[in-house]
Structures are given as structure tokens and as C-alpha cells.
Amino acid sequence: MHENAPVLEASARAKIGSRYAKRVRESGMLPAILYGHGQDPVAISVDTKKTLEHIHKGEKVYTLKLAGQSKEQTVLLKDVQFDYLGTRVIHADFARVDLTERVRTRVHVRFIGEAIGLKTVGAVLIHPTTEIEIECMVKDLPEHIDLDISGLEVDGEITAADVKLPSSSMKLITDGHASIAHIV
């Protein structure tokens, strides 16, 4: 599944701090940090446009080519930080991973089908959460999980425990009682 992970080219940053990070952003690069697997953290910068394009598509696993190193690394996007308005990504965190190790991450739940209950006048679909947290191997990490809501009626509810995970090796971390979809 992740053999075709997007490739990000990165370069190490010599100077760290908010003033230097601002300069990196002004040059069209995104400041980031690379950590994990018992190695020292490395301050890096990646191309902002290319990286955000992949992040907006929902990609989580990347192949990272760090300038000056011949070996590519598989990394997992762990976090993104936004500016004070919450509109622009200003920093990213990447963790080194092995494709066979188990990780915890959040996965988007995509609704498919048209709920029966929505044909009732005044009925509204409420979805308090659009992501669930799962534990799985990096190579099995899905881009999203499809949830069929076609059988959902008025006053019906689908909880996290009702979501069918794509693989039996995956484990649901989100509370099973958490509401995913509800028609009122």
C-alpha cells in the first residue's frame, strides 16, 4: 500500500528558532522536525507547496530524501502546526518508522450511501467526529475508512464500535461508544 509513498526532498536546517523558521517559510520552504528510532532529532525544511498538496490529499506516510544522505527514510506525518489564525500550516513533525511496526494514528471516516432516515422531512445527519484513532502496521495504514450509512434511520446512531476496520490486524483505539453518525 505504501510502496508508492510520495517522495519529499528535505534539507537540514543549521539554525533553529522562530526568526529562522520565518525566513525558511519566506523562501517557500516549510520548517519541520524529523525524529524517532533512537536517532537524534533533525531540523529540516521541505518544499511547502508540494508537502501541503500531499497533506491536503490525506497522505500520512512519506519517503523522505534528506540532502547529503544516500539512504531514503520512511516517515509518518505526526503533527502539523498552524498560524495564530488557524489557516496556514507553519510547521510539520515527521517520525521515522519501519513499514512493519505498529503505530497509533487518526484515520478519516468517509460516509457512503444515502441514509433512509434523511428522507424524513426535517431529519438532519449529525457527525460529531470525522476521524477515529486506530493502531495498525504502517504498511496497512488506510487513507480513509468507508462507512455505509444507508441503513441509518431517524434516531439511529452509529458508534465507533460499529465501524468495520479494513483489516483484522487493526485495533480500534477510539472509545467504542463515541458517536460517529446520528440522525435526529
Side-chain angles (χ1 to χ4, degrees):
M1 175 180 249
H2 294 289
E3 306 82 32
N4 299 326
V7 177
L8 295 178
E9 297 193 14
S11 57
R13 292 186 290 140
K15 298 179 179 179
I16 58 174
S18 59
R19 182 177 1 157
Y20 299 110
K22 182 178 178 184
R23 290 178 187 167
V24 168
R25 284 190 289 276
E26 288 171 351
S27 70
M29 302 297 279
L30 179 68
I33 189 82
L34 175 64
Y35 60 88
H37 273 243
Q39 298 179 26
D40 290 334
V42 178
I44 60 172
S45 58
V46 291
D47 181 74
T48 301
K49 186 177 179 183
K50 190 174 182 183
T51 305
L52 292 182
E53 186 178 293
H54 292 300
I55 289 173
H56 291 308
K57 285 181 185 175
E59 298 283 351
K60 292 187 187 294
V61 179
Y62 301 89
T63 300
L64 189 76
K65 288 184 179 178
L66 189 57
Q69 293 185 359
S70 59
K71 186 180 172 191
E72 296 178 345
Q73 302 177 55
T74 303
V75 297
L76 179 68
L77 177 67
K78 291 298 256 183
D79 192 26
V80 290
Q81 287 92 44
F82 292 88
D83 64 359
Y84 66 97
L85 295 174
T87 56
R88 196 173 64 124
V89 175
I90 60 170
H91 192 272
D93 292 359
F94 294 100
R96 295 177 187 99
V97 292
D98 182 15
L99 288 177
T100 58
E101 78 178 87
R102 294 185 69 81
V103 294
R104 283 185 172 194
T105 190
R106 300 189 68 76
V107 178
H108 178 71
V109 177
R110 186 171 70 174
F111 298 135
I112 56 172
E114 187 174 328
I116 296 170
L118 288 179
K119 294 179 181 173
T120 305
V121 176
V124 178
L125 175 67
I126 298 173
H127 47 96
T129 183
T130 58
E131 293 181 328
I132 59 172
E133 187 173 4
I134 63 170
E135 180 181 293
C136 66
M137 286 196 291
V138 174
K139 68 181 178 87
D140 296 332
L141 185 65
E143 292 179 24
H144 57 76
I145 295 176
D146 290 332
L147 177 62
D148 185 12
I149 61 167
S150 57
L152 194 58
E153 297 183 14
V154 174
D155 292 329
E157 181 179 29
I158 299 176
T159 62
D162 299 328
V163 175
K164 184 178 182 324
L165 298 176
S167 170
S168 61
S169 67
M170 293 180 184
K171 179 181 172 187
L172 180 69
I173 303 299
T174 301
D175 180 21
H177 299 293
S179 179
I180 303 294
H182 181 76
I183 295 184
V184 292

